[in-house]
Amino acid sequence: MLRHKETADYSFTGLTPIINAGLNEFDHMNVLSVHQPAIHDKEKMTAMIMSQKDPKQFIEDEFQMAMTKWMNEEGTTSYNETFRDFKTRVLDSLEDIYATARREKHKEVIAVTSGGVISLYMAVLMDMPLMRMLEMNQHIANTSVTSLLFNDKKTTLSYYNNFSHLPKDMVTYM
């Protein structure tokens, strides 16, 4: 969560961040290594990638296959955190943040997190099949802003994945 804290410190000077471990990203390296154990051997992995006709597409396909296996709980005993546990952790943490904000009558809450957390929550909030999380996760720009509105009854999406604060040459993904 170091990257989250550094982003918060840089972006919101004068505020004291509260670290909420429930908003930590999933362990993508573990998810990938359960799918493709060779990932731990840099030379083998590099050779495998570079031998492909389209290395970039190969990496994207492997990531999608790894995520699909994780989300379908295949290889469950090998994951540091199952998808089910990740989903529960994220949703519980967000509900706790909402409850605290309501109780303390906060008008705004800023949460700095990662694409996996955001894409999971968007799929749940928008009542989409959870597999849409994969597509959403691949298209979330680094440092993008998503705004949610919440009250005692509901949470709604105001806007998603806004990166208009960045010059075009600084927009990156994943």
Side-chain angles (χ1 to χ4, degrees):
M1 294 195 68
L2 177 62
R3 186 169 52 106
H4 301 144
K5 184 180 179 329
E6 289 172 345
T7 300
D9 289 345
Y10 178 79
S11 302
F12 306 103
T13 56
L15 298 178
T16 304
I18 298 168
I19 306 299
N20 183 322
L23 297 184
N24 198 12
E25 184 63 280
F26 64 89
D27 185 347
H28 70 279
M29 289 303 292
N30 175 248
V31 170
L32 283 166
S33 68
V34 169
H35 169 68
Q36 187 58 261
I39 198 166
H40 292 296
D41 185 327
K42 191 174 183 176
E43 286 181 23
K44 281 184 185 176
M45 195 64 189
T46 301
M48 183 187 310
I49 292 168
M50 298 314 293
S51 71
Q52 302 301 313
K53 181 176 157 185
D54 185 346
K56 184 177 184 288
Q57 187 63 52
F58 174 75
I59 292 169
E60 288 175 14
D61 291 346
E62 288 296 303
F63 184 73
Q64 182 147 353
M65 285 187 284
M67 289 289 293
T68 300
K69 284 169 74 172
W70 180 56
M71 293 175 75
N72 289 325
E73 307 273 334
E74 295 173 33
T76 302
T77 59
S78 302
Y79 295 116
N80 294 337
E81 178 180 47
T82 65
F83 178 74
R84 182 178 303 139
D85 289 344
F86 170 68
K87 179 182 172 194
T88 299
R89 171 173 58 85
V90 168
L91 297 180
D92 287 351
S93 293
L94 287 166
E95 284 306 314
D96 184 53
I97 290 168
Y98 294 145
T100 300
R102 288 180 192 114
R103 185 175 57 255
E104 296 180 8
K105 300 191 182 339
H106 293 297
K107 298 278 185 203
E108 290 183 324
V109 175
I110 300 167
V112 179
T113 189
S114 299
V117 171
I118 295 166
S119 59
L120 168 68
Y121 193 67
M122 289 297 93
V124 170
L125 181 68
M126 304 303 289
D127 200 25
M128 296 180 207
L130 285 177
M131 293 308 284
R132 286 292 308 273
M133 174 189 159
L134 291 173
E135 182 181 325
M136 295 177 80
N137 192 37
Q138 291 177 328
H139 294 97
I140 293 178
N142 290 319
T143 78
S144 68
V145 178
T146 296
S147 176
L148 305 172
L149 306 172
F150 66 94
N151 58 31
D152 290 339
K153 296 178 182 146
K154 65 181 178 176
T155 301
T156 55
L157 176 63
S158 178
Y159 55 87
Y160 165 75
N161 197 31
N162 182 318
F163 49 90
S164 61
H165 58 283
L166 291 175
K168 287 184 184 197
D169 64 333
M170 290 186 69
V171 177
T172 59
Y173 301 88
M174 297 181 67

